[in-house]
Amino acid sequence: MLETDLQVHRTVDELHAKVALSLVRKITELSQQRSRIHLGIASDISSTLLHKIADIMHHHPDLVDQWSPVHIWMADERYVDHDHVDRADTHIDEALASRFPIVQLHRPPSPANSKNLQAAARQYEEEMVAVYSVHTLLDPRSIALDLSLLGIGQDGHFASLFPSHNTLDATGLYVAEPHSPKPPAQRISMTIPVLRRSRASWFVVAGKEKATVFAQALQGANFREVPAGAMNQVGTQWWVDKSAASRIDRIF
């Protein structure tokens, strides 16, 4: 693993500040290369980090004015109503999409506007294909995010892709998760193939309770046991605090 793939920071606040600043710089850089930017954000990305990103954007309008339109896709979302307390995209809307016109948030369907969980996953996939297909209809297998912003659970899951679940074998863009071990049970998730196609993937991991599973993911553990291990590849950047990195030396 390249040394530059791992960034360790002393505190969670320092970690979030560095990720926020780096993300704004990354989008500014991508805007020089692309007419549109596609960003995936996992549901476990903290609202604190989202607001730090928003604060930098607010204080540097000169940078944001240079941006290409930023399309945000949920890497995973809970299948609950849009106003439900467990809904993650609400925080992204409040921090970013509602404040900055350059940001367009694509919200997965809720029970109120879809027939069922499986139908909601299909609808969201169809929306992604339609948005990506500017001139001609694209093969979904060619669709790739410019950047995915992800986290890791204590059991090694990421983007609501849980150990030993059938969703780990899903193809296409999105898959329905009907039996999440963490409530709410019904979720929609990007598949491993589309997440692995991300041109860049940033994992943000904090806390001593995630130290062991983070070290396992970092060394490419079997993805059926530690799903995040599937993302240990070129283009993945691991952003962690000192506590989360505390077991690295014991593993390697």
Side-chain angles (χ1 to χ4, degrees):
M1 192 183 86
L2 296 175
E3 184 178 352
T4 53
D5 289 341
L6 175 63
Q7 295 274 347
V8 181
H9 298 278
R10 292 173 299 173
T11 65
V12 176
D13 189 64
E14 181 182 297
L15 169 66
H16 286 167
K18 183 63 176 178
V19 172
L21 180 59
S22 297
L23 182 65
V24 170
R25 288 174 172 169
K26 181 68 173 179
I27 293 176
T28 303
E29 174 189 328
L30 287 171
S31 295
Q32 299 174 6
Q33 308 164 8
R34 302 185 180 283
S35 59
R36 297 192 303 173
I37 297 164
H38 292 279
L39 172 64
I41 300 182
S43 64
D44 58 355
I45 293 300
S46 74
S47 59
T48 301
L49 174 55
L50 295 172
H51 282 285
K52 283 186 180 293
I53 295 168
D55 286 345
I56 295 172
M57 293 172 64
H58 174 72
H59 288 100
H60 295 278
D62 54 320
L63 291 180
V64 177
D65 286 345
Q66 301 174 33
W67 285 9
S68 300
V70 178
H71 293 261
I72 296 181
W73 302 92
M74 297 305 297
D76 66 302
E77 182 57 277
R78 290 88 168 191
Y79 184 59
V80 293
D81 290 334
H82 282 132
D83 60 353
H84 195 282
V85 66
D86 288 326
R87 190 82 185 191
D89 58 8
T90 300
H91 301 294
I92 298 174
D93 186 43
E94 291 174 351
L96 299 172
S98 65
R99 295 179 58 189
F100 304 98
I102 199 70
V103 176
Q104 181 174 347
L105 172 63
H106 299 274
R107 306 186 73 177
S110 71
N113 53 21
S114 58
K115 183 178 180 181
N116 53 44
L117 176 63
Q118 288 72 23
R122 288 195 302 271
Q123 284 177 232
Y124 201 37
E125 178 166 322
E126 289 168 359
E127 180 180 352
M128 177 175 269
V129 172
V131 171
Y132 267 80
S133 302
V134 179
H135 302 297
T136 58
L137 187 64
L138 290 181
D139 184 334
R141 292 172 296 181
S142 69
I143 288 176
L145 296 167
D146 293 298
L147 175 66
S148 55
L149 194 60
L150 307 165
I152 299 178
Q154 293 185 47
D155 60 354
H157 84 267
F158 77 111
S160 292
L161 296 164
F162 295 93
S164 301
H165 281 222
N166 292 334
T167 52
L168 297 175
D169 298 314
T171 57
L173 300 177
Y174 280 92
V175 63
E177 170 54 82
H179 303 297
S180 164
K182 296 178 62 179
Q186 293 189 314
R187 302 179 178 210
I188 297 168
S189 177
M190 283 185 179
T191 64
I192 285 181
V194 72
L195 285 165
R196 281 179 56 87
R197 287 200 300 272
S198 298
R199 296 181 177 92
S201 301
W202 291 3
F203 275 86
V204 184
V205 188
K208 189 175 182 179
E209 69 278 5
K210 297 181 181 179
T212 297
V213 75
F214 164 64
Q216 292 169 341
L218 194 64
Q219 68 173 353
N222 187 313
F223 77 98
R224 296 191 182 280
E225 299 174 0
V226 182
M231 298 298 292
N232 185 37
Q233 61 179 7
V234 174
T236 297
Q237 179 84 45
W238 306 90
W239 303 81
V240 301
D241 71 350
K242 190 175 180 179
S243 294
S246 61
R247 287 188 59 85
I248 292 177
D249 290 339
R250 301 183 196 180
I251 297 295
F252 290 100

